Amino acid sequence: MVSWPLYLAIAIAVSEIVIDRNLYWMLAISAGLCAGIFEEFLFRGLILGILLKAFRHMTKKRQVWLAVVISSALFGLIHSVNVLHQPIGDTALQMLFAVWFGLILSVLYLRSGTIILPMLFHGIWDFSIGIAKGSINETATVTLAEIITNVVLFLIVLLICAYCLRQKKLNSINLTKLLA
């Protein structure tokens, strides 16, 4: 937790150098490493863990679902800062995407029992997006098709999460290991 300002400073410094020289692949690497490690440690490792502890008086199903949904919503909300460098429509769409991505990452964490898997998945995802777009700061206008696609994907992800966190699977998740 103490080292997150260092990660942030490194990410900002690298992004400034990279943007000036149009070396987007280096920005993609730094985004993948910083987001994959820092965001997963914060949102899945700390926030999800704190919420699981806070809701431990509830049934396991309610405890897990509330913690997963709230931590994923917070993960989406933190992406609102991107409105500082991209249009509001793009930011809103990114926030929606971040919520459903947070759901997937939470399920990966809970089902695997280790933060490493969501860190790797998140880092590889951000790296891939950075390379594919050629920039982390894409400023294209959001289309209705993109909004509809993201809403449909959100519903599909919600169904997948419901399947992965159904009662039968919840019983196999060792929450005490994650709360330590």
Side-chain angles (χ1 to χ4, degrees):
M1 185 67 176
V2 176
S3 63
W4 75 266
L6 177 63
Y7 291 132
L8 185 59
I10 291 169
I12 291 169
V14 169
S15 69
E16 290 300 318
I17 293 167
V18 168
I19 289 170
D20 288 344
R21 297 193 180 137
N22 291 323
L23 299 173
Y24 294 116
W25 62 273
M26 288 190 63
L27 182 57
I29 290 171
S30 65
L33 286 173
C34 292
I37 294 169
F38 171 70
E39 289 181 356
E40 289 314 302
F41 178 75
L42 178 63
F43 287 96
R44 259 52 71 188
L46 290 177
I47 293 174
L48 183 62
I50 290 168
L51 291 169
L52 286 169
K53 281 182 184 178
F55 300 137
R56 91 176 108 199
H57 64 281
M58 299 178 175
T59 64
K60 190 173 187 179
K61 183 177 183 178
R62 187 169 288 194
Q63 174 192 20
V64 168
W65 272 102
L66 273 174
V68 165
V69 169
I70 292 171
S71 66
S72 297
L74 290 172
F75 182 63
L77 187 61
I78 197 71
H79 286 81
S80 66
V81 300
N82 293 328
V83 77
L84 299 173
H85 63 78
Q86 68 186 15
I88 194 164
D90 292 355
T91 302
L93 193 60
Q94 186 178 25
M95 289 170 62
L96 176 63
F97 172 82
V99 171
W100 72 255
F101 193 54
L103 291 169
I104 291 172
L105 294 168
S106 295
V107 168
L108 282 174
Y109 176 54
L110 292 171
R111 292 292 301 275
S112 70
T114 177
I115 196 70
I116 301 300
L117 189 58
M119 282 180 174
L120 287 172
F121 190 79
H122 190 161
I124 291 168
W125 182 270
D126 282 357
F127 172 76
S128 300
I129 295 297
I131 293 297
K133 287 187 173 184
S135 169
I136 299 300
N137 299 323
E138 181 99 357
T139 58
T141 305
V142 175
T143 65
L144 181 59
E146 288 175 312
I147 293 169
I148 292 170
T149 301
N150 270 275
V151 169
V152 169
L153 285 173
F154 178 78
L155 295 173
I156 291 169
V157 165
L158 202 52
L159 289 173
I160 292 169
C161 291
Y163 179 76
C164 291
L165 295 178
R166 65 191 187 282
Q167 191 62 46
K168 180 179 175 183
K169 295 298 179 180
L170 277 176
N171 293 333
S172 67
I173 296 173
N174 182 2
L175 291 180
T176 56
K177 179 183 170 188
L178 301 175
L179 299 176

